[in-house]
Amino acid sequence: MMRKFWFLMFVQALVFCGLFLCDNQGPQRDLFSRDAKTYFTDYYVPRAWLDSENCFKDAENPCNYPPFGFAFLRPFPLSKEGAIAFMATSSLLFIFCLAVFAKSSGISCRSSVLTVASLVPSWIFVRTIERGNTIFIAAALICIFLAFFDSRSRWKRVLAAISLGAAAAMKIAPTFIGCLYLVAPLGNDGGRRRLDWLDMGICGLSAAVFFIVPFWVLGNGFSDVLNWLGNAGDSSVGFPSTWGLSGMYVYASGVLAKVFPTLTLSGCRTATWIIGLILFALFAVLCGLRKPMRRSDKIFFVVALMLILSPNSQFYMGIILFPSLILWLYEAELSANYRGLDWVQMFLWLAMLTLVQIPVGGKPITIFLTFASFYSLIAIKFCESAA
């Protein structure tokens, strides 16, 4: 299964390159923003906050990131060269930590390298680089957490707890991933078989320290915490989760309005929360009944819930799904015979990640493919786990 996935991912990358070179202003150009001025926007804006007198009170460009989330940008200048240097550094860090996760899961070095390399030519990875977002650093920290949080080594578990705390202080949304502490153990090497309250405490304390202290270093202390909360609340209204129905409404309001004339953005937000809470309840029931569940599926469900329920969860956050995909490929490779649903899941992952832009009515359907594949995977994995 792994070899087939590598092959198909590299083939789709070659197909995209061939089509793009044949017509660099055609449909394949839509993989990137057609306005080059928008490239690295998520780098330029927070980098400018570092030079602001008080970015949390800026009326024109109020800061909606926790300060720990953009403190890493300080060594890089506010320029195109600085953005490129930061994205090169952070993306390589993510790739390295993803390989560490793969190796810690029992995958050979060769297979780890090839699997991680096959994920680089994916539209989610490429779009993340284009945006210039700091998500690569948060995702790298999450990979370290997933690699070691249930290890038998005390120091590896402490490293995992601190890593998740730092990721949560950067992006808030990774807090959801802490749910893995509460479900059945996921260890691939005979990991611990009980809750470790000390690890959970270290994780929570790390998150609090990484979140609060930078407000005193980069701002004016507690008053800026309140200012940030207001800014973050406004941002979550303006940028709904693109992994939920509200995101689909934003991207395809014209199409949805024709099919569902009474549909509104607020209605989509409510429906997204209802769907997310139902999925969370089903996941909790499956864990409570101790139904057999692949380790990759548990990670996938927790990350999926994070993407659906987190406000302002954009498509570039999909890179946090990569560890569950890598682990699923390895688990499928270990099975003697591939099941029919394994093939279906592999092609759904390919549809979610492909670089190739498929135009319908003059517009690419990449967003729809990703959305449909994502929820199809959720449905299949739930059915498998409940069977």
Side-chain angles (χ1 to χ4, degrees), residues 200-234:
M200 295 169 66
I202 292 172
C203 182
L205 179 62
S206 300
V209 170
F210 286 128
F211 178 79
I212 295 174
V213 170
F215 279 102
W216 271 262
V217 176
L218 299 176
N220 297 316
F222 185 72
S223 63
D224 280 342
V225 176
L226 299 178
N227 292 328
W228 173 82
L229 286 172
N231 297 339
D234 294 340

Side-chain angles (χ1 to χ4, degrees), residues 166-189:
M170 285 188 67
K171 288 292 185 181
I172 308 300
T175 304
F176 278 91
I177 297 177
C179 292
L180 288 174
Y181 275 127
L182 303 177
V183 301
L186 310 179
N188 62 318
D189 60 347

Side-chain angles (χ1 to χ4, degrees), residues 275-335:
I275 291 171
L277 292 174
I278 290 173
L279 293 176
F280 183 83
L282 290 173
F283 177 60
V285 168
L286 289 176
C287 292
L289 295 175
R290 297 201 175 267
K291 284 280 189 179
M293 192 183 301
R294 289 175 171 179
R295 182 175 187 246
S296 61
D297 290 348
K298 290 181 179 179
I299 295 174
F300 175 85
F301 287 143
V302 170
V303 175
L305 288 169
M306 178 198 75
L307 295 175
I308 294 171
L309 293 175
S310 299
N312 201 10
S313 177
Q314 302 300 303
F315 270 116
Y316 50 71
M317 292 187 70
I319 62 172
I320 304 176
L321 289 168
F322 287 4
S324 65
L325 168 57
I326 290 173
L327 190 56
W328 173 79
L329 287 169
Y330 179 58
E331 291 169 347
E333 187 75 14
L334 291 178
S335 61

Side-chain angles (χ1 to χ4, degrees), residues 249 252-264 361 363:
Y249 182 88
S253 56
V255 176
L256 292 177
K258 294 178 181 178
V259 181
F260 306 102
T262 60
L263 195 64
T264 63
K363 295 183 178 180

Side-chain angles (χ1 to χ4, degrees), residues 33 45 95 134 142 234 267 271 283 296 313 348:
S33 171
V45 173
I95 289 170
T134 56
I142 291 170
D234 294 340
F283 177 60
S296 61
S313 177
L348 286 173

